Structure formats: C-alpha cells, structure tokens
Amino acid sequence: MRGGEGLLTENDFIKKCKKGNREAFNRLFEIYQSQVVNIAYSMLSDREDAYDAAQEVFVRVYKNIGSFKEESSFNTWLYRIITNVCSDILRKRQKTSKVISISNMMGEDNDIDIPDDSPTPEENIELTERQRAVKDAISQLREEYRVVITMCDIEGMSYDDIAEMLGIPKGTVKSRINRARSSLKKILITKRELF
C-alpha cells in the first residue's frame, strides 16, 4: 500500500525483515507506527492502552514476520495482529471486572493539548469540550464503525486502502463510514451547544 524510500518498496523491507535486518524492521515501524496506534485507540478508547498495544503489535510482527506468506497484503496481516492484541487487552479488562465510565476513559490525561495561540481561555475550554464530545461519541460507536471512521477521518486513508487492510469490499467500507458518520451525528446532536 505505501511506498518505500528511494528504490526500496515495502516488499523489499519485508524481505529484509525476514532475513533479520533490524534497519528494515525499523523502517516498517516508522511507516506504520501512527496507523497502528490510531487503530488500537479506536478499538480500546484509551491512549495509554493504545501505545501498549502498538508496542505488543510490533513485538509480534518482529517475532512472526518469517511466517508472513505474502499471499495477502502486509496491511491485512498487520490488521489481524492489531485486532488480536486489542482483543487480548479487552479480555484482560473484563477479567479485572473493573467498571470504567466513558468520562473516566476520556479523562484529563487523554485531553488534546490546545495551542497557546488560542484567542481566549473561554474559546480554549469550548474547543476542549468539543474534542472531548467527539472522542466520547466515537467511543460509543460499534467497533466496526470506530475502526473505519478512525482510518478514514483521522488517518486519512482511502476507501481502497481501508478495504484492502480490513479484507472487506469497498462498498462495505463506504456503507460503514456512512453509518458511522450518521451515528456520530445523532450522538453529537445532543451536544448541539458545542457545535
């Protein structure tokens, strides 16, 4: 899906990784790190857990790259690892039977920093509330909708790339994104005063 640097392609990096080339693995890490974190965040709704998940994903990629058969795309293989790691984390959460409210998951530690050049403190507060409302709304979506909306609207991925990575038809991607946006709109309409 994504090109390499110079004449090297993603497939070249993968082949080198299979031979134990650490530099090639580091390059794959650079290419995919933010994408993996954002997909994990869309599934876990917790920034710290998303970073932990991403770390575990890349550990598994490094250990198992030799078993990647290249019959499917690297993106599809990587997505399966992300979903497996996130599922493990969600299972562990359930085992602890600790109840976490959405407001706690979106607590102050997860707030997005507001730039200093904002005109007034009141506008800063309003922007923070808007961002929190959007994060709350995304976290309330079904997992399949959270994933596609994150990939499309946050990661900026194309429908074709999302379809390839998730292993689903492009039409399904479009349909899920439309449903996700429609659901988000309904959730956010209750917070109309912020928008």
Side-chain angles (χ1 to χ4, degrees):
M1 181 182 80
R2 300 189 186 200
E5 54 190 25
L7 299 174
L8 292 178
T9 65
E10 182 181 273
N11 286 338
D12 294 328
F13 289 123
I14 290 164
K15 285 182 173 77
K16 287 181 173 217
C17 280
K18 285 183 170 186
K19 292 177 183 171
N21 184 311
R22 185 76 182 201
E23 201 174 303
F25 174 78
N26 289 342
R27 184 65 187 121
L28 280 179
F29 175 82
E30 288 168 14
I31 292 169
Y32 286 101
Q33 181 185 21
S34 69
Q35 183 176 311
V36 169
V37 169
N38 284 329
I39 293 169
Y41 180 66
S42 75
M43 296 170 128
L44 301 170
S45 299
D46 182 279
R47 186 59 65 185
E48 200 172 305
D49 283 351
Y51 281 111
D52 290 345
Q55 189 172 9
E56 177 61 24
V57 165
F58 285 109
V59 167
R60 291 190 192 183
V61 167
Y62 187 75
K63 285 181 178 174
N64 299 303
I65 191 103
S67 68
F68 172 54
K69 303 228 184 327
E70 299 176 52
E71 290 162 2
S72 63
S73 75
F74 180 74
N75 284 303
T76 303
W77 185 72
L78 180 64
Y79 179 75
R80 281 194 211 111
I81 295 173
I82 297 168
T83 54
N84 289 339
V85 168
C86 290
S87 294
D88 291 347
I89 290 171
L90 290 169
R91 269 195 297 277
K92 283 176 190 168
R93 273 189 199 168
Q94 287 176 345
K95 280 184 184 173
T96 60
S97 69
K98 184 178 174 184
V99 177
I100 301 173
S101 72
I102 289 173
S103 60
N104 285 343
M105 287 194 303
M106 299 299 161
E108 290 177 45
D109 292 342
N110 294 324
D111 284 349
I112 295 170
D113 291 331
I114 307 302
D116 290 335
D117 62 353
S118 294
T120 67
E122 291 80 13
E123 286 172 349
N124 282 343
I125 290 166
E126 191 178 312
L127 179 57
T128 302
E129 287 304 313
R130 270 192 218 141
Q131 290 167 334
R132 186 172 299 169
V134 171
K135 284 196 281 188
D136 277 348
I138 290 173
S139 75
Q140 291 174 53
L141 296 175
R142 287 170 35 185
E143 181 181 322
E144 63 197 37
Y145 296 159
R146 280 198 318 259
V147 169
V148 293
I149 204 91
T150 300
M151 292 170 112
C152 181
D153 292 342
I154 296 174
E155 277 294 301
M157 293 172 67
S158 71
Y159 289 169
D160 288 328
D161 288 344
I162 296 168
E164 180 190 346
M165 190 163 189
L166 299 182
I168 58 176
K170 185 177 173 181
T172 304
V173 171
K174 286 182 180 178
S175 168
R176 286 184 186 176
I177 288 170
N178 286 337
R179 287 188 190 136
R181 288 177 179 157
S182 174
S183 297
L184 273 179
K185 189 175 178 183
K186 285 177 189 166
I187 294 166
L188 292 171
I189 239 156
T190 63
K191 301 182 186 295
R192 203 178 345 226
E193 71 281 356
L194 294 174
F195 301 91

